[in-house]
Amino acid sequence: MGIFVNPKLYPPEKRLKISQRPLEEIYQFAHEVSRELWNAFVLKLPPVDGFRRGTPKELQRRFRIFINRISRWNDMEWMMFKDLWVSWVKTHPHLDLLLSKFDNSTDFKEDIKGKLPNSSLDVQCFQYLAQNSEESRVPRELIKRFYDFGYFQEDPIIEHYITIAKSTVELELIERSMEFEKMWLQFGELGTSVGVLSNRLDAIAQDREKVLFLVNSIDRVEKKLEDSLQKIQEIRQNNLNLNQSFQQLQQDYEGKLSHVYNNLESSVSKWLSVMFDQKCTQLHSDLIKEIDNRFGDIEGSFRQKVTDLLKNIEPKVRETAVASTFEVSCQGRLDQFITVDDLSVPTYVEQLNTPKKFACVLSENFQTIGMQSLTARILADEVLAALAAGQIVSFRGSMASIVALLCARTLAGPNIGMLHIPIGLLGGREFSTSLYRVLEESGCRTSVSALILEGINLSAPEVYARSLRQLISERFLKLDSTSRNLLLFGTIIDGLGALDITAELCEWGPIFHTDCLEWRDKWSNRSVTPGSVSSKVWGLWISTFADKPEDWDDLYEDYSHLGGHPTVLWRRCLYNAAARLNIRITEIEEPTLIQSLVFGWLLPRGLASGVNLTDYESLLAGGRVDASKTDKRIAKLLSFSDEQ
């Protein structure tokens, strides 16, 4: 880093210039330093009595005392301010990178004159910054800040170079101009794609006409086949009638022969009678052969005609089948339907009458599927806190669907519905209809109901679930009390067919990663206990007053950065969750309130928002955060994020 190989000392004139600036301006300059570097700087200052060391309030007090004495600083304290200035530069990566490419090492050789401020290399440095302002995205205002609080003395040449640098507004205009050109190119590509799509639609329309023609042809062939089959039935019936006539004729013939035999016995010799029998047998055999030959010729001729007809229509049927399949698959992508499955009602349901009973049964059911006992108690506490805050509780990982169904079975055993979200859902009408139907049914029941949204991220919830966002927002703002009888659960799907989790989805409630929990390899074989909570008991519990922790403002300032850029809805979601976690149902010391918020609320939204967690390694402390023990769930979630 060129200018910081051996930074120069502040001359007396510049010390006086900086000390005469308003203290609030110096505070503002210091607050532009990143939180991590600012903490590292302040920890070097003398501690303050009356505060717990290392807390945010104590660090703020240290820094204010240090700045308030700026007019009485000695050389050592000005050297410390020089370190703060260096930290400010490191906080601005574009400026830091640009300065690292400028070499001023010759100012620090044996010639002592070079170490004085405003050397020729110092002036060249500002010329270099001004020339590379646009390319390196370093605005004029940032260079002026660098000049005002650095060791440089007032110099008209340096100030001239600062004025020719691009301002923040000019850099934004240049960037927007480049974005407009890129959008123009994309618009042209989109026009080309639309033309190609139009040609494909025309081709599909032509294929459809061919399919309709072939379908009509098949109908005609089927009609002919039906007619032929009817003729076969008539021939078979005629054959049966012919056999009956032949049998009747044979009986009459035998009767007559018997009468002849009786007349011939007395007057005709025995050999004549034998010859007559042989002749009758031959006549009978010839008659049977003649009947079989005629029927065989008719059946063979019909079979040959049917075989020729099938050979002619088989290729057309195949083409029709392929075209019909393509047409149906296209229609399937255009029409999406959502259905709510009413799950089976258990034969036995335990009545849960107190919050401790909620948590106890839910924890025991978690343990029946192999979850470790302490992890089960912690998760039960966090799930109930989120539900009491009116949030949707989502699960992710290999056990997501099982854990979500288990929660619903425990709290709303007889009243569970599951809503499967399809891939590519573009409209919210079907979803809203299903949601409002479930809300209406749950409002008529005397016990709470549960709805599981299976695969909530298979389509974009910001598009199809606007009604769900409205419902949760009204719950957060305490505008709606009629829907509190419905508990909401969701499952997150991982894979190529699913969408990435967005920051907005995280604002609706926590996302618990089931693969980060502690599971046993062996556990006792017990059955799950379905439960039911009456609407009255649930309403009394969620209306219980829950207030934020006393030091919530300091905690929010220190840890809210982990969740990305704050919105009003996100702040309310985090506040409500903290208030409910502050009155834990189960008597457990670990994890702390902040560790619970980091695992279920802050880290999932931070990862969805693209927060660089390496900037907060000291704050997270590998999962220890503000506690004496490490939360293994946070450590596993951090390792998952590193792998991705």
Side-chain angles (χ1 to χ4, degrees), residues 304-342:
Q304 185 62 38
K305 289 182 180 180
V306 171
T307 301
D308 294 340
L309 184 60
L310 291 176
K311 287 182 179 179
N312 291 331
I313 67 172
E314 183 178 5
K316 297 181 180 179
V317 171
R318 285 179 180 156
E319 294 176 1
T320 304
V322 173
S324 300
T325 302
F326 175 75
E327 183 180 7
V328 170
S329 64
C330 291
Q331 292 177 351
R333 288 192 292 268
L334 295 175
D335 300 328
Q336 299 287 357
F337 297 94
I338 298 179
T339 57
V340 179
D341 297 336
D342 292 323

Side-chain angles (χ1 to χ4, degrees), residues 226-236 238 302:
E226 291 177 357
D227 295 341
S228 300
L229 290 175
Q230 185 175 1
K231 291 181 179 179
I232 290 176
Q233 293 295 334
E234 293 176 355
I235 293 173
R236 288 182 176 178
N238 293 334
F302 176 77

Side-chain angles (χ1 to χ4, degrees), residues 33-274:
V33 178
S34 69
R35 189 77 178 180
E36 183 177 1
L37 295 177
W38 186 86
N39 285 339
F41 170 78
V42 177
L43 288 173
K44 298 177 183 178
L45 301 177
V48 179
D49 296 333
F51 296 88
R52 186 162 60 92
R53 293 189 179 183
T55 62
K57 289 185 178 179
E58 194 267 344
L59 295 179
Q60 289 284 356
R61 185 61 180 166
R62 282 197 208 185
F63 182 72
R64 285 191 172 273
I65 293 175
F66 174 71
I67 296 299
N68 290 340
R69 296 184 60 259
I70 189 170
S71 60
R72 301 188 299 277
W73 281 355
N74 54 29
D75 291 344
M76 181 60 67
E77 288 169 326
W78 278 105
M79 285 292 291
M80 293 184 69
F81 185 77
K82 177 262 297 180
D83 294 339
L84 180 63
W85 176 64
V86 171
S87 298
W88 177 87
V89 173
K90 292 180 179 179
T91 304
H92 299 83
H94 294 295
L95 177 61
D96 188 27
L97 178 62
L98 193 58
L99 289 172
S100 68
K101 299 177 182 178
F102 183 79
D103 184 13
N104 68 338
S105 59
T106 56
D107 265 1
F108 303 96
K109 294 183 179 179
E110 294 182 1
D111 185 5
I112 194 65
K113 294 181 180 180
K115 297 183 179 179
L116 296 176
N118 294 30
S119 66
S120 60
L121 280 177
D122 289 337
V123 176
Q124 291 177 18
C125 177
F126 282 94
Q127 182 183 8
Y128 166 74
L129 292 176
Q131 291 173 348
N132 292 275
S133 172
E134 178 179 346
E135 181 180 354
S136 299
R137 317 301 296 167
V138 178
R140 179 194 307 155
E141 294 83 356
L142 195 63
I143 300 175
K144 184 67 167 57
R145 202 79 163 155
F146 174 73
Y147 170 70
D148 289 341
F149 288 93
Y151 60 78
F152 313 102
Q153 297 187 27
E154 292 185 357
D155 190 321
I157 298 178
I158 292 178
E159 292 176 356
H160 168 71
Y161 285 136
I162 293 176
T163 58
I164 66 176
K166 299 292 186 182
S167 67
T168 302
V169 175
E170 291 173 330
L171 291 177
E172 289 180 356
L173 289 175
I174 293 172
E175 184 176 359
R176 291 188 179 183
S177 177
M178 295 174 64
E179 291 178 355
F180 178 77
E181 292 178 359
K182 186 184 295 183
M183 290 175 61
W184 183 256
L185 292 175
Q186 292 176 351
F187 181 76
E189 294 176 355
L190 182 61
T192 303
S193 301
V194 170
V196 173
L197 181 60
S198 177
N199 294 334
R200 290 183 178 179
L201 290 175
D202 293 340
I204 291 173
Q206 294 177 359
D207 293 340
R208 182 181 177 84
E209 293 178 357
K210 294 180 180 179
V211 169
L212 292 176
F213 175 77
L214 291 175
V215 169
N216 293 332
S217 300
I218 290 175
D219 291 340
R220 291 193 297 270
V221 170
E222 290 179 347
K223 185 65 171 60
K224 292 182 178 179
L225 287 175
E226 291 177 357
D227 295 341
S228 300
L229 290 175
Q230 185 175 1
K231 291 181 179 179
I232 290 176
Q233 293 295 334
E234 293 176 355
I235 293 173
R236 288 182 176 178
Q237 186 63 40
N238 293 334
N239 183 39
L240 291 175
N241 295 335
L242 183 60
N243 285 334
Q244 292 177 356
S245 300
F246 175 76
Q247 291 176 358
Q248 183 64 37
L249 180 61
Q250 184 178 11
Q251 292 176 358
D252 295 342
Y253 182 68
E254 288 177 351
K256 292 180 179 179
L257 285 179
S258 178
H259 179 70
V260 171
Y261 278 141
N262 293 330
N263 293 331
L264 289 177
E265 282 182 355
S266 58
S267 58
V268 180
S269 63
K270 187 176 182 179
W271 66 269
L272 185 60
S273 177
V274 172

Side-chain angles (χ1 to χ4, degrees), residues 394-402 419-423 453-459 464 490-501 505 511 513:
S394 300
F395 297 97
R396 185 179 186 181
S398 57
M399 297 288 287
S401 298
I402 296 176
L419 198 152
H420 300 273
I421 306 300
I423 294 176
L453 304 181
E454 183 72 17
I456 196 171
N457 64 324
L458 289 179
S459 296
Y464 73 82
T491 62
I492 305 296
I493 304 299
D494 293 315
L496 298 178
L499 301 178
D500 293 335
I501 299 175
L505 178 59
I511 298 177
H513 203 309

